[in-house]
Amino acid sequence: MSRKANIIMPADEEDPQINRGIALDNGNPELTEADFQVMTPTVEVMSALT
């Protein structure tokens, strides 16, 4: 028995609808390159907590 998840990728024609939904979700904006530049790697955060 495989432990891999069965991932179903969206069809190309579904992408515009998905992207509209993302754009409308103000509470969960898409991350930008600038956002990634100021993030702290999880391993550093977790090691500081232990």
Side-chain angles (χ1 to χ4, degrees):
M1 178 177 186
S2 176
R3 301 186 116 206
K4 292 184 181 181
N6 292 327
I7 299 173
I8 300 172
M9 298 300 292
D12 289 340
E13 54 272 4
E14 294 174 298
D15 279 343
Q17 182 179 2
I18 292 168
N19 288 328
R20 277 192 302 278
I22 292 169
L24 292 172
D25 187 0
N26 294 330
N28 192 18
E30 189 168 354
L31 296 173
T32 65
E33 184 60 35
D35 294 324
F36 284 106
Q37 293 300 318
V38 297
M39 289 181 177
T40 303
T42 303
V43 68
E44 290 179 24
V45 174
M46 295 306 293
S47 64
L49 295 175
T50 59

